[in-house]
């Protein structure tokens, strides 16, 4: 499955309300993630008690299992219908989650639960305007497919894409609180610069970014 087909599959699933969740052939170079641990972590109310933003990170990378669990919690598939751990506007799959790490930028493919290579470059420092941004091992970059949001104004596109992203961001916050990771959701982003660094087509736009890592001791 090519990256484009991943996107088309998501669009088709939105239209048909049935997602292609059967095992999918993976694009060459894609990195399968270990199956997510769906029963771990702490009770929800305890995680809510601990949720907060962090702006001091160590460089310690996340294990493959932790990355898998994080991405599934963020916006993975949680039902046979192919729907997700976060709600989304009009049942149209608008948001893609990218992971920017030291070894490049990867697109999270929830159907295959895998990372699809997007860029080989380390663009972490370009994902935000604050000093801590470069140090942390993982930046989630939320990208909206504006072209999938038909019949609404550009302002509404931005609004609904932002709300979709906010739900995902809160999933990330609660997952991080639950397993001792640190995170902060970020709007302080040079959006044109990041779109260029990510080589996004004109109809796609970054909504927010979110740093994830371990807190600096
Ligand atoms: C839409 C939005 C944008 C944000 N942008 C940034 C940002 O660019 N940089 C940052 O350090 N924190 C950012 N934050 C985090 C907030 O500053 C933080 O959630 C708030 O101060 C409350 O602190 P807490 O999350 O620790 O409860 C953002 C939060 C939201 C919801």
């Amino acid at each position: 499955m090519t990256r484009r087909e991943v996107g088309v599959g998501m669009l088709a699933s939105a239209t048909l309300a049935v997602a292609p969740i059967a095992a999918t052939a993976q694009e060459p170079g894609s990195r399968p993630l270990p199956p997510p641990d769906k029963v771990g972590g702490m009770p929800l109310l305890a995680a809510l008690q601990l949720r907060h933003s962090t702006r001091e990170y160590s460089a310690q990378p996340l294990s493959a299992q932790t990355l898998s669990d994080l991405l599934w919690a963020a916006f993975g598939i949680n039902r046979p219908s192919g729907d997700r751990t976060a709600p989304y506007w009009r049942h149209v799959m608008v948001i893609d989650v990218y992971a920017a790490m030291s070894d490049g930028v990867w697109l999270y493919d929830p159907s295959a639960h895998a990372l699809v290579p997007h860029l080989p470059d380390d663009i972490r420092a370009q994902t935000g305007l604050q000093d801590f941004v470069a140090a942390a091992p993982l930046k989630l970059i939320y990208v909206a497919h504006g072209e999938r949001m038909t019949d609404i104004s550009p302002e509404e596109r931005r609004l609904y894409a932002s709300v979709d992203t906010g739900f995902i961001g809160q999933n990330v916050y609660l997952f991080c609180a639950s397993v001792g990771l640190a995170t902060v959701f970020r709007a302080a982003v040079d959006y044109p610069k990041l779109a260029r660094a990510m080589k996004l087509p004109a109809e796609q736009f970054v909504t927010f970014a979110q740093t994830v890592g371990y807190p600096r001791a």
Side-chain angles (χ1 to χ4, degrees), residues 51-53 55 130 132 173 184-188 208:
R51 188 218 64 83
H52 67 282
S53 298
R55 297 178 184 82
Q130 293 161 283
F132 64 81
Y173 265 110
V184 61
F185 193 79
R186 292 187 288 103
F208 297 95

Side-chain angles (χ1 to χ4, degrees), residues 26-32 106 115-118:
Q26 291 184 357
E27 188 172 344
S30 81
R31 184 198 292 178
W106 302 77
L115 292 174
V116 177
H118 178 66

Side-chain angles (χ1 to χ4, degrees), residues 80-91:
S81 63
D83 286 304
R84 305 297 185 83
T85 56
Y88 52 100
W89 175 81
R90 267 197 204 167
H91 212 245

Side-chain angles (χ1 to χ4, degrees), residues 31-181:
R31 184 198 292 178
L33 292 161
D37 174 9
K38 299 179 185 173
V39 294
M42 62 175 58
L44 173 63
L45 298 184
L48 280 166
Q49 180 66 30
L50 291 177
R51 188 218 64 83
H52 67 282
S53 298
T54 298
R55 297 178 184 82
E56 293 189 12
Y57 292 86
S58 83
Q60 181 186 342
L62 275 58
S63 69
Q65 186 65 57
T66 302
L67 185 60
S68 166
D69 298 348
L70 167 74
L71 290 169
W72 182 80
F75 207 35
I77 291 173
N78 71 352
R79 278 160 284 172
S81 63
D83 286 304
R84 305 297 185 83
T85 56
Y88 52 100
W89 175 81
R90 267 197 204 167
H91 212 245
V92 175
M93 195 59 67
V94 168
I95 302 295
D96 280 336
V97 179
Y98 288 82
M101 300 184 283
S102 62
D103 60 355
V105 182
W106 302 77
L107 169 67
Y108 175 51
D109 173 4
S111 297
H113 195 60
L115 292 174
V116 177
H118 178 66
L119 288 175
D121 315 316
D122 182 356
I123 66 160
R124 288 176 299 165
Q126 298 172 67
T127 68
L129 300 171
Q130 293 161 283
D131 288 345
F132 64 81
V133 165
L138 171 64
K139 325 292 156 183
L140 299 176
I141 305 166
Y142 303 115
V143 173
H145 285 262
E147 81 283 4
R148 297 180 188 170
M149 308 179 84
T150 53
D151 305 325
I152 59 173
S153 67
E155 292 76 19
E156 288 172 313
R157 272 186 209 121
R158 177 67 69 171
L159 172 66
Y160 298 133
S162 296
V163 172
D164 282 11
T165 306
F167 281 110
I168 300 169
Q170 179 71 344
N171 283 353
V172 171
Y173 265 110
L174 292 174
F175 174 80
C176 288
S178 173
V179 300
L181 283 168

